[in-house]
Amino acid sequence: MNVEISKPARKFIQDFGITDVTFKLVELDVRGAMGIIKEIRPFYQAPADASGYKYFRKGYFSIFLDREIMIVGPLVLKISGFLNKKLALS
């Protein structure tokens, strides 16, 4: 599986000196009609135990992807948010 990094994401990574990013699937219990919401959150460090993650390397940059995240197409690392920018998978 190939992972692409968009130009804005590459600039974000360089500006903040990020070398590792971990994408973790987080389940949030929302009271009421919503039930459980699943969200993918980035953490800018390598996981303590990488056995539960898929690993990708792009040059000097490491990406750890939670094994519970289903990959259905090509992965592109992008920026999300306007004021509070963060890395996101597309």
Side-chain angles (χ1 to χ4, degrees):
M1 167 83 29
N2 193 17
V3 178
E4 297 296 324
I5 302 175
S6 69
K7 285 184 181 181
R10 190 174 305 278
K11 183 172 179 355
F12 181 84
I13 290 166
Q14 290 174 349
D15 289 348
F16 289 98
I18 301 169
T19 57
D20 303 308
V21 66
T22 301
F23 289 99
K24 184 170 175 72
L25 185 65
V26 178
E27 294 182 357
L28 305 169
D29 186 15
V30 179
R31 301 288 177 202
M34 296 298 288
I36 295 177
I37 295 176
K38 294 183 180 183
E39 178 179 89
I40 299 173
R41 289 193 179 163
F43 297 93
Y44 303 116
Q45 62 187 20
D49 180 14
S51 64
Y53 293 85
K54 296 174 189 166
Y55 176 75
F56 302 96
R57 181 97 178 153
K58 288 297 279 188
Y60 64 90
F61 187 65
S62 297
I63 301 167
F64 298 88
L65 187 64
D66 194 330
R67 290 195 185 273
E68 294 182 20
I69 298 172
M70 287 183 25
I71 301 172
V72 293
L75 289 175
V76 180
L77 200 57
K78 295 184 176 184
I79 295 292
S80 79
F82 184 69
L83 295 176
N84 295 328
K85 292 182 179 182
K86 63 181 180 178
L87 291 175
L89 287 173
S90 173

